[in-house]
């Protein structure tokens, strides 16, 4: 298991390095300079600005300095907000985005597994049809469209929830629903199909023949194995949720990282764009790393394979 974790960790580091490299060179392929709007008739001021942001250095030197900033977790100052550093923007915006993402994942996983289990237990019944209808709608409607519908119906027309910002639990309901519905639908469909297959296995029939209660059969014997495919796709779902928060944050005026990331793209604020991209990529890759470990713990065959192949 230790060797399995070490391999995944090395892969994680290499992946982040590749993403950082691609981000740097793609940003430098863009025509013009992030200081175009700050161009002054005073050439001395222009040169000082370029020197301050290391834009006067050769590309190789800029790349080395960029890697150093990643290694020391110091992404430098923002070009468009001179009084701010990229680290301070991350420190202010990421906790809000992380809170939104965590609550979204919890709601999606709990509701999706619950719907999937009940749909499998009531296969071809009314509960199954209702659950799968909800799942199909959840997959079909993009989160930004759903967010607009929720604001219109539940905030504007009904006044049940506030439409914007992120300060009280009531402010969190609509953005979490908009983000969680899609992943919840995917988890529900996957859990249902996996549960249907698991419930036909011989060990489930044996457990029932022993007189175990239906709840114990489902929770203790069937659910653990049925959740393996769900654990497998959690990493992908996290990616969708984390990237989706940028759009939802913009719609609901949530002061998370989405606000700064969108602004940095519009303003061509290279340090903020690259710092945010690398930070989120590293965070996402780390989450995938944890999912790999969880998968290895849940499935002993992975550990056996590593031992046999090592």
């Amino acid at each position: 298991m230790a060797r399995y974790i070490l391999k995944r960790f090395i892969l994680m580091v290499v992946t982040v390095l590749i993403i950082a490299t691609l981000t740097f060179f793609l940003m430098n392929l863009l025509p013009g300079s992030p200081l175009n709007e700050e161009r002054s008739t005073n050439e001395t001021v222009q040169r000082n600005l370029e020197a301050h942001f290391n834009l006067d250095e050769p590309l190789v030197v800029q790349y080395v300095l960029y890697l150093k900033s990643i290694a020391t977790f110091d992404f430098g100052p923002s070009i468009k907000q001179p009084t701010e550093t990229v680290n301070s923007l991350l420190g202010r915006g990421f906790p809000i985005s992380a809170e939104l993402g965590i609550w979204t994942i919890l709601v999606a996983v709990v509701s999706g597994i619950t719907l999937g289990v009940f749909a499998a237990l009531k296969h071809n019944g009314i509960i199954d049809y209702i659950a799968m209808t909800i799942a199909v709608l959840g997959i079909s409607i993009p989160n930004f469209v759903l967010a607009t519908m929720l604001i219109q119906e539940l905030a504007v027309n009904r006044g049940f929830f506030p439409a914007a910002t992120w300060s009280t639990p009531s402010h969190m309901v609509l953005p979490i629903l908009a983000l969680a519905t899609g992943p919840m639908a995917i988890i529900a469909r996957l859990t249902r199909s996996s549960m249907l297959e698991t419930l036909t296995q011989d060990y489930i029939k044996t457990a029932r023949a022993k007189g175990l209660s239906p709840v114990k059969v489902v929770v203790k014997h069937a659910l653990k194995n049925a959740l393996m495919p769900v654990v497998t796709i959690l990493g992908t779902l996290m990616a969708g949720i984390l990237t989706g928060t940028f759009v939802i944050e913009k719609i609901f005026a949530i002061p998370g990282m989405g606000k700064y990331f969108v602004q940095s793209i519009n303003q061509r604020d290279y340090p903020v764009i690259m710092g945010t991209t690398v930070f989120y990529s590293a965070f996402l890759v780390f989450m995938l790393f944890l999912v790999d470990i969880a998968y290895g713990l849940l499935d002993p065959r992975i550990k056996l394979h590593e031992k046999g192949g090592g």
Side-chain angles (χ1 to χ4, degrees):
M1 189 62 184
R3 186 176 300 166
Y4 172 78
I5 294 175
L6 180 61
K7 288 181 178 179
R8 293 299 181 274
F9 179 79
I10 294 173
L11 181 62
M12 177 183 71
V13 174
V14 172
T15 302
V16 172
L17 180 60
I18 292 173
I19 293 173
T21 301
L22 288 175
T23 302
F24 175 82
F25 286 105
L26 286 174
M27 290 302 301
N28 280 277
L29 284 174
L30 294 176
S33 166
L35 294 176
N36 279 348
E37 294 181 3
E38 277 73 26
R39 291 217 174 264
S40 169
T41 54
N42 190 327
E43 293 184 3
T44 303
V45 173
Q46 184 67 25
R47 286 197 299 269
N48 288 339
L49 284 172
E50 292 177 349
H52 179 68
F53 294 107
N54 298 316
L55 296 177
D56 59 338
E57 299 285 354
L59 191 61
V60 175
V61 176
Q62 292 184 43
Y63 177 64
V64 172
L65 293 173
Y66 172 61
L67 293 182
K68 181 181 177 181
S69 71
I70 295 174
T72 58
F73 197 68
D74 182 7
F75 297 111
S78 166
I79 293 178
K80 302 300 181 179
Q81 303 179 65
T83 59
E84 298 278 7
T85 65
V86 179
N87 288 44
S88 67
L89 295 177
L90 287 171
R92 188 161 60 248
F94 178 71
I96 297 175
S97 297
E99 185 179 10
L100 173 58
I102 290 170
W103 278 111
T104 299
I105 291 170
L106 287 175
V107 170
V109 170
V110 172
S111 58
I113 291 175
T114 302
L115 272 179
V117 169
F118 277 103
L121 294 177
K122 304 296 181 181
H123 183 47
N124 288 333
I126 185 65
I127 294 179
D128 185 17
Y129 294 140
I130 293 174
M132 289 304 99
T133 299
I134 295 173
V136 170
L137 290 175
I139 294 174
S140 304
I141 303 176
N143 57 26
F144 60 88
V145 175
L146 181 59
T148 306
M149 295 167 59
L150 290 173
I151 292 174
Q152 181 63 42
E153 185 60 29
L154 298 181
V156 178
N157 294 345
R158 306 291 180 181
F160 291 156
F161 303 101
T165 72
W166 184 267
S167 55
T168 66
S170 61
H171 287 86
M172 303 177 184
V173 174
L174 295 186
I176 289 173
L177 284 178
L179 264 178
T181 302
M184 177 272 293
I186 295 173
I187 292 173
R189 290 176 63 87
L190 192 59
T191 302
R192 174 183 177 271
S193 61
S194 184
M195 277 292 293
L196 287 175
E197 180 181 354
T198 303
L199 290 173
T200 62
Q201 299 298 314
D202 291 337
Y203 68 91
I204 297 296
K205 297 176 182 178
T206 302
R208 287 172 172 167
K210 289 180 178 179
L212 297 179
S213 66
V215 173
K216 185 172 288 188
V217 170
V218 171
V219 175
K220 186 176 180 180
H221 297 278
L223 190 57
K224 179 180 178 181
N225 291 318
L227 289 182
M228 293 299 296
V230 176
V231 174
T232 305
I233 67 163
L234 273 182
T236 305
L237 291 180
M238 287 179 188
I241 290 172
L242 286 175
T243 53
T245 58
F246 286 0
V247 178
I248 297 301
E249 286 174 17
K250 187 68 175 177
I251 293 174
F252 287 96
I254 297 173
M257 278 311 303
K259 169 186 174 182
Y260 303 117
F261 188 69
V262 173
Q263 286 179 352
S264 67
I265 292 175
N266 293 332
Q267 299 173 348
R268 295 187 63 176
D269 194 341
Y270 287 3
V272 177
I273 294 174
M274 292 190 292
T276 305
T277 302
V278 171
F279 178 81
Y280 264 87
S281 299
F283 179 78
L284 176 58
V285 171
F286 181 70
M287 290 296 102
L288 294 173
F289 171 68
L290 294 181
V291 169
D292 280 342
I293 294 176
Y295 196 75
L297 293 174
L298 288 173
D299 191 348
R301 290 173 296 182
I302 291 180
K303 290 179 283 187
L304 291 174
H305 173 74
E306 293 291 335
K307 290 179 182 177

